[in-house]
Amino acid sequence: MTNSNDGNGGAATASIATGRANMQLGYTPLYLQVRQQLLDKLISGEWLPGAMLPSEQQLSVQMGVSQGTVRKALDALSADRIVVRHQGRGTFVAEHDQRRTLFQFFKIADDKGDRVLPETVYSQLRRAEPSTAESRLLGLRPKAGVWRIVRHRALKGRVMLNEQITLSEDRFPGLDVHVPLPNNIYELYERHFATTVARAAEQLRAVSASAQDADVLGCGETTPILQIDRQAFALNGALVELRRSRCLTEQFHYASDLR
Amino acid sequence: MTNSNDGNGGAATASIATGRANMQLGYTPLYLQVRQQLLDKLISGEWLPGAMLPSEQQLSVQMGVSQGTVRKALDALSADRIVVRHQGRGTFVAEHDQRRTLFQFFKIADDKGDRVLPETVYSQLRRAEPSTAESRLLGLRPKAGVWRIVRHRALKGRVMLNEQITLSEDRFPGLDVHVPLPNNIYELYERHFATTVARAAEQLRAVSASAQDADVLGCGETTPILQIDRQAFALNGALVELRRSRCLTEQFHYASDLR
DNA sequence: ACCTATAACTTTTATATAAGACTTTGGACA
DNA sequence: TGTCCAAAGTCTTATATAAAAGTTATAGGT
């Protein structure tokens, strides 16, 4: 009703960070600034995984922008699977529940194309010295150590995956307290080490089974193996996990959607 | 100022197809209906690849919805890489230029992570009878034939890929006229057979090189090979191409982004 | 011919408003 | 105690308006 006469339906009256900076480069639209602000709060731990964010209305008041701008920022975060939105319920910080782990971070499927949940049948954790490459990639202090996890994982009752994971000891202090490690390890990162894996990059190669592969997977030494190297990144972009999976692909395959 | 009292800023006053149908299921929001209408026109060939679509304003008038709704429909099409939008220029039907083929449909990269453009060094086309599986997947008529293409492709001067492609003869009549086939085969589908590949699914396995692989790729017969099976789908969702690539992964790898 | 300023066009961003649709909650009622 | 219904909260969809930013064409001056 009131329709106060301030009349300003215009744009960008409240540019948050950079004002009207618009020379050539260095201009970020308001909704992206809002997105970054929200992301910063998520990184800082102000809202923990599973928590409900304030409503769009509340956020718009807090941040001094319109509800539509908040919505666009939230939609962007939702597209990156950083938050999850439910109509009528609210917006929530994404959690590493089984479903997310299965669909976003586990690409092995059976011959019908259905994703299969892997079951950990053997798990070992030890502390080790990093290689120079690992130290560089993980951005470790000069003398810092790493955790090395070896897991054997079964699909439909047969051991199919031989997996090695490398983590910074600094980022995961006292990890050995949590032995035996749970099947969903990203949930552990999230709950106990304030580390949310937001995205990952994988490189796939076909290699020959090593003697150790043959032993673990119960195959011949020259059996072709799918080797998957993964780098997992946290919300702030930091590399937090190095992983190498060696996988039998006789009854299963790696599924990739191109779109 | 005016704040006219017609008041109707409300929603869904002009529902296109289903009206206010909203029982439990079977409700599609207006912007998705608009998206489908636009997609139908693209499928029908009303706008050819590379062509500019009418402006948002024109479309909103034509279709009897607001500009914002057209915008949301176009954004959805843009997210699926069906159209490409350029600020200040217009909205265009996506083309299978080299860049799109390279980034959307070719996942092989070198050890630095850079995508590499493959070069076709051998190409053969012949007509054949489909297997029952091929006939079923491609939805062929009972007596219909298929084209079979064999290509050998090189990366940085070395033959790395041994590729077999199967196409419906009905969908690609007179394909043999275009021999030798161009390097970018999706551009050929698009230009001469009104077939736009919109998305694809791939299944990856590690296998042993066959005698033929060994001959083509110049490797030993038991060398591990990355086998990539692909199904490519057109705009309307029809399966239009079956492809099996066998790939050496000593200097290159398949890159997959999980997000 | 070349450069510049201007205008006209586009998409993009931002705001305001309103109603639909979904979920949860709490109270009335049997 | 259990069920139903209404209310309140949420996200979702839709429209209208306006300004900003990028592109292209045109007119004008040097």
Side-chain angles (χ1 to χ4, degrees), chain A residues 10 29-31 66 69 72 87-89:
Chain A
L30 189 51
Y31 82 94
S66 81
T69 302
K72 217 171 167 190
Q87 175 174 172
R89 285 212 287 148

Side-chain angles (χ1 to χ4, degrees), chain A residues 50-235:
Chain A
M52 180 177 168
L53 270 61
S55 74
E56 297 178 353
Q57 196 53 247
Q58 290 173 303
L59 286 173
S60 77
V61 173
Q62 282 176 30
M63 312 182 80
V65 299
S66 81
Q67 189 194 357
T69 302
V70 171
R71 156 174 311 275
K72 217 171 167 190
L74 288 175
D75 282 344
L77 290 172
S78 170
D80 294 334
R81 308 215 213 193
I82 291 169
V83 303
V84 178
R85 319 194 71 196
H86 295 290
Q87 175 174 172
R89 285 212 287 148
T91 302
F92 302 84
V93 185
E95 280 184 292
H96 273 288
D97 58 0
Q98 212 167 1
R99 188 173 297 114
R100 183 181 186 193
T101 301
L102 198 54
F103 284 92
Q104 188 177 359
F105 293 108
F106 194 74
K107 296 294 184 182
I108 308 292
D110 65 19
D111 287 337
K112 287 192 308 183
D114 295 327
R115 294 283 224 293
V116 186
L117 186 69
E119 175 199 357
T120 303
V121 295
Y122 171 83
S123 180
Q124 177 209 344
L125 169 67
R126 63 191 174 82
R127 195 190 166 285
E129 301 300 318
S131 70
T132 54
E134 286 171 341
S135 188
R136 177 173 44 80
L137 287 169
L138 291 170
L140 302 183
R141 290 182 295 104
K143 295 277 185 177
V146 293
W147 298 110
R148 236 182 266 289
I149 302 168
V150 172
R151 297 201 294 183
H152 307 160
R153 314 191 80 192
L155 300 170
K156 295 187 178 173
R158 260 187 59 76
V159 181
M160 287 288 168
L161 270 126
N162 182 16
E163 197 171 78
Q164 188 184 68
I165 298 174
T166 304
L167 302 172
S168 155
E169 195 185 9
D170 284 344
R171 180 180 280 270
F172 297 93
L175 178 61
D176 47 348
V177 171
H178 297 88
V179 172
L181 300 175
N183 194 34
N184 184 349
I185 201 170
Y186 284 179
E187 197 177 23
L188 177 74
Y189 298 173
E190 185 171 273
R191 280 206 216 283
H192 296 285
F193 300 97
T195 296
T196 298
V197 173
R199 66 175 197 88
E202 293 190 330
Q203 299 89 40
L204 285 75
R205 293 179 180 82
V207 301
S208 275
S210 67
Q212 201 243 350
D213 290 329
D215 189 41
V216 168
L217 303 172
C219 63
E221 275 212 29
T222 57
T223 303
I225 296 280
L226 183 63
Q227 172 175 290
I228 307 168
D229 286 309
R230 174 189 293 185
Q231 301 89 43
F233 300 91
L235 275 180

Side-chain angles (χ1 to χ4, degrees), chain B residues 200-220:
Chain B
E202 293 190 329
Q203 299 90 41
L204 286 75
R205 292 178 181 83
V207 301
S208 275
S210 67
Q212 201 242 351
D213 290 328
D215 188 42
V216 168
L217 302 172
C219 62

Side-chain angles (χ1 to χ4, degrees), chain B residues 9 12 29-31 66 69 72 88-89:
Chain B
L30 190 51
Y31 83 94
S66 79
T69 303
K72 213 167 171 194
R89 285 211 286 147

